[in-house]
Amino acid sequence: MPDTSGLLIIDKPQGVTSFDVVAAVRGALHLKKVGHAGTLDPMATGVLIVGFGAVTRLLNPIVGHDKTYEATIRLGQRTTTDDADGEIIEPQPSETRPAALPDLATIKRTIAERLTGEIMQVPNAYSAIKIHGQRAYDLAREGKDVELEARPVTIRAFDVLAAREGLTAADGTPVTDLDVRVDCSSGTYIRALARDLGDMLGVGGHLTRLRRTRVGRFDLSDPAIAAHVVHAHTEERAFTNREGETVTRNRAVLDLPGELPGGLPGPSGNQPASTGAARALALIDRALPAADAARLCMPSLEITDDEARELRFGRRIERAIAQPAAAIAGDDLVAIVDRANAHQAKPVTVFAA
């Protein structure tokens, strides 16, 4: 078996959580040390960076990278979660609604003037943000009041790609659907942009589609990155809970050679050994090796074999650096180093040879 350490670029399917994808990778590789670099909502699809083995130590820097999303915003309706998974919020009788939905020129002007650049954004209550150790979405589902503070985010681009005006929602409400592309800083909630745009226009808004196409330099439009993408799909799985009830929930299935028809297990309850090994090898083959992954997620410092030995002994090397960097000797990721003083770098994370 090749080195079980690397970085995966998963195209997450709709209907599963980011943890479901991590679970699928764990199952395929038979590894516990698997994590992801930034949650995607169940409704969302697209780039989910998953690390396994020692490369999980590169995930934290990736979390802070800028991101690009493509989405569809529906103007004319609000929901409890600011996306299509929530319940429609009916306008209050005292609420004054405009006679007509805003035109495209008004929409674009509002985006340019109020939702581009450095803005303050209040995340939705149904988010993964922790409040006193509990996820906001857990508190919201329990019916508790959730108040989140506004936080600064940067919207570098918020482009309307297409507009479909004159539509009617299933309940008869007139709506406008906007296809948009957003380049933004880490921590930006696209659902909140949809909500805020609708509120600023006085008509309400929510997200009906969300796809992440880029995380930092991991861009689906880059052929070199696309060659490593692992696709996946969603399947229903039935099981019996502790109360004896049959429960159905979705699971993520990686699209790899060796999957049995319908994603079903073999007679023993698991994939046959030969099939499981083939799937694991196929997944590892798609992964970015540690050194390549490090070069994509942070500044790199090319070092000599002698310097590599020094770092692995926990010693400083004579290199002037201004920020943390990946110290790499050829194809060997040796360490993450930081500035020790004006002329030396010190190891802060060391990787085994």
Side-chain angles (χ1 to χ4, degrees), residues 36-241:
H36 67 78
T39 302
L40 274 176
D41 291 335
M43 188 190 87
T45 66
V47 179
L48 183 69
I49 305 298
V50 175
F52 59 93
V55 174
T56 54
R57 288 183 281 180
L58 295 176
L59 295 177
N60 277 344
I62 299 173
V63 171
H65 288 186
D66 288 357
K67 298 169 178 67
T68 299
Y69 295 90
E70 293 183 357
T72 299
I73 296 172
R74 171 157 289 184
L75 295 176
Q77 288 180 319
R78 298 182 178 91
T79 73
T80 52
T81 58
D82 299 334
D83 62 18
D85 287 342
E87 297 179 3
I88 299 295
I89 300 174
E90 298 295 335
Q92 297 297 317
S94 59
E95 188 176 353
T96 302
R97 300 294 295 270
L101 291 166
D103 59 29
L104 187 55
T106 301
I107 293 169
K108 288 184 174 181
R109 184 172 61 251
T110 302
I111 290 172
E113 293 177 354
R114 304 182 64 182
L115 289 173
T116 304
E118 302 279 344
I119 67 170
M120 297 297 291
Q121 184 184 76
V122 178
N124 180 273
Y126 289 84
S127 66
I129 293 171
K130 286 189 175 181
I131 303 173
H132 304 302
Q134 286 187 278
R135 299 288 185 186
Y137 55 66
D138 288 331
L139 296 172
R141 287 167 186 158
E142 292 171 5
K144 297 179 180 178
D145 290 333
V146 177
E147 292 187 10
L148 298 173
E149 294 183 358
R151 54 187 61 196
V153 297
T154 302
I155 311 300
R156 292 179 174 81
F158 189 163
D159 300 318
V160 178
L161 306 178
R164 292 178 293 283
E165 301 174 88
L167 302 179
T168 303
D171 64 357
T173 303
V175 295
T176 295
D177 282 356
L178 305 174
D179 293 336
V180 302
R181 181 185 297 120
V182 179
D183 288 332
C184 57
S185 62
S186 176
T188 302
Y189 283 83
I190 309 302
R191 286 185 291 160
L193 288 179
R195 174 202 66 205
D196 293 345
L197 177 61
D199 288 348
M200 290 170 183
L201 295 167
V203 297
H206 70 279
L207 212 59
T208 62
R209 178 182 67 91
L210 181 63
R211 180 166 178 77
R212 187 158 68 192
T213 60
R214 181 184 67 86
V215 175
R217 294 172 64 187
F218 301 95
D219 190 335
L220 292 180
S221 66
D222 181 345
I225 295 299
H228 288 275
V229 172
V230 176
H231 297 279
H233 65 276
T234 301
E235 287 185 359
E236 286 191 348
R237 171 177 170 266
F239 62 95
T240 303
N241 64 17

